[in-house]
Amino acid sequence: MIKKILVSQPKPTSEKSPYYDIANRFDVELIFRPFIKVEGISAKEFRTQKVNILDYTAIVFTSRHAIDHFFNMAKELRVTIPEDMKYFCVTETIALYIQKYVQYRKRKVFFGETGKIDDLVPTMVKHKNEKYLVPMSDVHNNSLEILLDSKKLQHCECVMYKTVSNDFTPEEVKTFDYDMLIFFSPSGIESLMKNFPNFKQDKITIATFGPTTAKAAKDAGLRLDIEAPSEKYPSMTSALQHFLIENQE
């Protein structure tokens, strides 16, 4: 019987989150506790990449983390970002977040509709004379670099932040008694194994989101009970609800 579920993500900010509907419907306790956290790299680490921010005329942001760590790095390096710097963001929500650091001007902020970089690239191509800088996490592949190369855009990717294990306190380790664990990244699986080196799954249900997370779980010797997204269940909440209907009611 599933009674207590650990969701390895921050607590939803909206009370309308489907997770709360699930908690009420199935009378389960949901604990939101990220296994990983994002930290900025130091100015010293950044300098080893030999990237000069002011050599670029446009910045590409794929997340709010990227915005925070870009402006924090500029401040640490004492770099004043020019007024005419252009910003290209994968969504409007991310674009609006820029207001936290600079005055939002429509003529210099561009965004995509779907959240996918492919949707933003046509807009970038219209500004093909820009020199694009892309702040990234230390965990990334080279698909973006290949895509921008294929469009003959001038660009440079640089690491500005990293994903690290959000270590559990001794008290949290002692009271780790969940019936289900939900993971959204391979780093989360790594963190589980780091914090609980003698982890035994037994009857604990494990759910993963995304193929790379599923692979990491299997590679770690874990039994996968819920795998999302699928054709029938595109979100983690829909897959979780289906599992609970099958196993609880």
Side-chain angles (χ1 to χ4, degrees):
M1 191 73 167
I2 308 282
K3 293 305 288 177
K4 195 174 177 186
I5 301 172
L6 188 149
V7 183
S8 62
Q9 276 192 330
K11 192 174 182 177
T13 50
S14 168
E15 288 177 11
K16 292 178 181 172
S17 166
Y19 280 112
Y20 296 132
D21 296 335
I22 288 170
N24 292 329
R25 177 177 172 182
F26 299 98
D27 191 26
V28 293
E29 184 185 1
L30 289 174
I31 310 292
F32 294 92
R33 203 285 183 194
F35 274 70
I36 55 174
K37 59 184 176 181
V38 173
E39 289 181 352
I41 65 169
S42 68
K44 186 181 176 185
E45 287 174 288
F46 179 72
R47 284 192 192 99
T48 63
Q49 299 176 76
K50 296 186 165 49
V51 171
N52 179 11
I53 292 171
L54 296 180
D55 286 346
Y56 300 89
T57 58
I59 314 295
V60 180
F61 289 128
T62 54
S63 70
R64 291 183 186 190
H65 285 309
I67 293 173
D68 284 334
H69 294 295
F70 170 78
F71 285 104
N72 288 344
M73 182 60 71
K75 190 177 176 184
E76 203 175 332
L77 295 170
R78 294 182 181 157
V79 169
T80 302
I81 305 299
E83 287 271 310
D84 58 354
M85 180 72 84
K86 292 191 175 80
Y87 303 101
F88 291 77
C89 308
V90 290
T91 66
E92 185 178 9
T93 306
I94 291 170
L96 290 168
Y97 189 69
I98 292 174
Q99 291 177 105
K100 184 177 172 184
Y101 297 98
V102 294
Q103 199 176 352
Y104 190 96
R105 290 199 185 96
K106 286 195 171 153
R107 62 183 168 76
K108 65 172 187 178
V109 181
F110 308 87
F111 53 85
E113 299 295 330
T114 64
K116 292 180 179 172
I117 192 73
D118 309 59
D119 181 47
L120 183 63
V121 166
T123 307
M124 293 169 68
V125 170
K126 286 178 187 169
H127 298 263
K128 63 177 186 295
N129 294 327
E130 303 295 343
K131 291 182 177 177
Y132 292 99
L133 181 66
V134 191
M136 301 181 93
S137 160
D138 62 331
V139 181
H140 65 269
N141 57 34
N142 62 351
S143 57
L144 178 58
E145 185 183 348
I146 292 166
L147 176 62
L148 299 187
D149 275 345
S150 73
K151 302 297 180 186
K152 297 187 167 49
L153 293 169
Q154 298 179 75
H155 62 95
C156 170
E157 292 71 41
C158 63
V159 172
M160 282 198 178
Y161 53 102
K162 57 189 175 185
T163 304
V164 298
S165 173
N166 188 13
D167 290 346
F168 282 66
T169 64
E171 185 57 34
E172 284 179 309
V173 171
K174 211 186 297 177
T175 56
F176 194 84
D177 59 345
Y178 299 95
D179 303 308
M180 181 188 288
L181 307 175
I182 302 179
F183 294 97
F184 296 85
S185 72
S187 307
I189 302 288
E190 282 171 32
S191 177
L192 173 73
M193 295 310 178
K194 181 190 170 194
N195 283 280
F196 303 92
N198 302 314
F199 179 75
K200 298 244 181 334
Q201 184 173 357
D202 297 329
K203 291 180 181 176
I204 298 173
T205 300
I206 290 198
T208 59
F209 190 83
T212 56
T213 314
K215 183 180 183 303
K218 289 170 187 170
D219 289 350
L222 300 173
R223 182 189 71 251
L224 258 191
D225 303 292
I226 304 172
E227 207 173 325
S230 65
E231 210 171 298
K232 259 180 142 179
Y233 306 107
S235 66
M236 177 50 77
T237 47
S238 59
L240 173 59
Q241 183 163 294
H242 171 71
F243 181 87
L244 292 173
I245 287 169
E246 296 280 296
N247 294 275
Q248 299 280 87
E249 293 186 338

